[in-house]
Amino acid sequence: MDYFKQRRAYRNFKMYEASVSNGQNNLYRELLDYANDEGKLDVQFRMKNSALLSLTGLSEPGLDKARNSLVQLGLIKYIKGKKNVKPPEYRVVKLYGRPTGYPTSNPTTNEKSGSTGLDEVGQPVGQGGGQPVGHKELTGTDLDLTGTDHDEDDAGVTRGDVIDKWTSLWGFPNAIARPEIDEWLDALPADVVAFAIQIAGEHTVKAAGSLNYMRAVIEGWQKRDISTLDQAKKAAKEQDQRVKSERGAKPARAKETLPGWAQSGATPTATRTELTPEQQAEINARIARLQQNREPEQEATT
């Protein structure tokens, strides 16, 4: 099974064929991505409920309900596990290459029955029973790849590349980050979103602040109607230049002016109050009396 064709087929399924809730979408995407990462798109695999609860953010009743809905929609096959013994088994139903319309599903299927028939998953929808059929199509042999699709842009960047880039910096996106990444990828080309992640990496943004940083970058671009990689690169370059300019600008120093008396060539002048002849005579008399009083003291000590 080709992961990207399956993603495109699932997106079309949501848009044109059936309503899928956020909980159902999160569960399906986690199952599909896990199967792809582990190379199990064409085979059944086990996955713990605890892992799905953590990845999707669903409650246990929410997980049961979402899983049952995916089975009823024909998107997955499911076999119940045994608590503390073995995890449940899943298999992703191939969607692309089938006739349009709802996939064939068993309306009586529920979580308590074993009639989910994992051996039927390998067959294209619409075919009857038979032996399991493995699908290992090469991406280069399908004419559908020649069509245009927003999952892959002109630079060859895919949604999977975006997730890989995020994972390499901050770990696999959790149940909070993943829906937002999907929204960005629905609104912008994958190469633009990947470039935003690259900017965050160049600025050494930590995992704890990655989502807020990305929100600010993406929302800023959207407000400015930036929707191509060239526009995003130009905006980033202008931002870097603006920051460098602000950091490099030195505040103007206030010019200090020396007072007139300190300037070169200036002769300091002392202000002096002139005494009247009477005042000067009084001062002289006081000095004389002080001197007379000191003379007897000096004679007594000799």
Side-chain angles (χ1 to χ4, degrees):
M1 185 187 303
D2 185 279
Y3 173 74
F4 296 108
K5 293 179 191 175
Q6 182 74 2
R7 283 284 304 274
R8 290 193 287 270
Y10 172 61
R11 183 187 61 191
N12 291 335
F13 177 83
K14 290 191 297 180
M15 293 177 62
Y16 306 119
E17 299 187 34
S19 296
V20 179
S21 70
N22 287 335
Q24 295 163 12
N25 180 70
N26 290 344
L27 176 58
Y28 181 80
R29 291 292 297 276
E30 293 299 341
L31 291 172
L32 178 62
D33 288 344
Y34 177 81
N36 179 62
D37 293 343
E38 298 299 318
K40 296 180 179 180
L41 285 172
D42 297 294
V43 298
Q44 63 198 56
F45 57 91
R46 297 185 184 276
M47 198 166 185
K48 293 180 178 180
N49 286 340
S50 58
L52 289 173
L53 291 173
S54 175
L55 290 169
T56 62
L58 293 169
S59 62
E60 289 189 14
L63 176 61
D64 292 340
K65 184 177 180 180
R67 180 168 52 206
N68 188 54
S69 297
L70 294 181
V71 171
Q72 296 294 331
L73 290 170
L75 295 173
I76 65 170
K77 296 294 181 179
Y78 164 73
I79 292 182
K80 188 175 182 180
K82 286 186 178 182
K83 188 174 183 180
N84 300 325
V85 177
K86 63 178 181 179
E89 294 183 30
Y90 298 90
R91 190 166 183 178
V92 177
V93 176
K94 179 183 173 184
L95 297 180
Y96 62 91
R98 63 178 176 82
T100 57
Y102 287 96
T104 302
S105 61
N106 183 356
T108 63
T109 300
N110 56 54
E111 297 177 19
K112 295 184 179 180
S113 68
S115 60
T116 52
L118 288 174
D119 57 332
E120 299 173 0
V121 176
Q123 300 180 14
V125 175
Q127 282 186 282
Q131 299 299 316
V133 179
H135 295 278
K136 284 290 183 181
E137 296 89 342
L138 296 175
T139 57
T141 61
D142 197 310
L143 296 178
D144 289 342
L145 291 179
T146 61
T148 58
D149 194 285
H150 292 296
D151 282 348
E152 300 184 25
D153 58 28
D154 294 337
V157 178
T158 66
R159 289 181 174 232
D161 294 332
V162 171
I163 299 300
D164 289 343
K165 187 178 287 288
W166 183 290
T167 302
S168 67
L169 287 175
W170 307 305
F172 194 80
N174 59 24
I176 297 175
R178 186 58 184 266
E180 291 205 43
I181 296 174
D182 290 336
E183 289 179 6
W184 298 335
L185 289 170
D186 289 338
L188 295 169
D191 59 351
V192 174
V193 180
F195 181 63
I197 298 174
Q198 177 182 327
I199 293 174
E202 291 173 352
H203 289 80
T204 62
V205 175
K206 303 298 183 183
S210 59
L211 191 55
N212 287 334
Y213 186 93
M214 286 292 296
R215 284 173 182 159
V217 173
I218 296 295
E219 289 173 5
W221 287 351
Q222 290 177 328
K223 288 178 181 178
R224 297 170 60 185
D225 294 326
I226 293 174
S227 58
T228 68
L229 181 59
D230 289 340
Q231 291 174 336
K233 287 183 176 180
K234 181 180 179 181
K237 184 177 181 180
E238 292 173 351
Q239 174 67 14
D240 288 342
Q241 291 175 343
R242 183 162 52 251
V243 171
K244 290 179 181 178
S245 176
E246 291 174 354
R247 289 178 178 175
K250 296 182 179 179
R253 297 180 61 182
K255 185 177 181 180
E256 297 180 357
T257 303
L258 292 173
W261 58 265
Q263 294 182 8
S264 177
T267 302
T269 58
T271 58
R272 181 177 177 181
T273 303
E274 297 293 335
L275 300 177
T276 64
E278 292 79 7
Q279 291 172 334
Q280 185 65 53
E282 177 64 24
I283 293 174
N284 292 338
R286 289 180 181 178
I287 294 173
R289 285 195 297 270
L290 290 173
Q291 290 176 345
Q292 290 175 359
N293 292 337
R294 292 180 61 188
E295 288 176 357
E297 293 176 0
Q298 293 176 351
E299 291 176 357
T301 58
T302 56

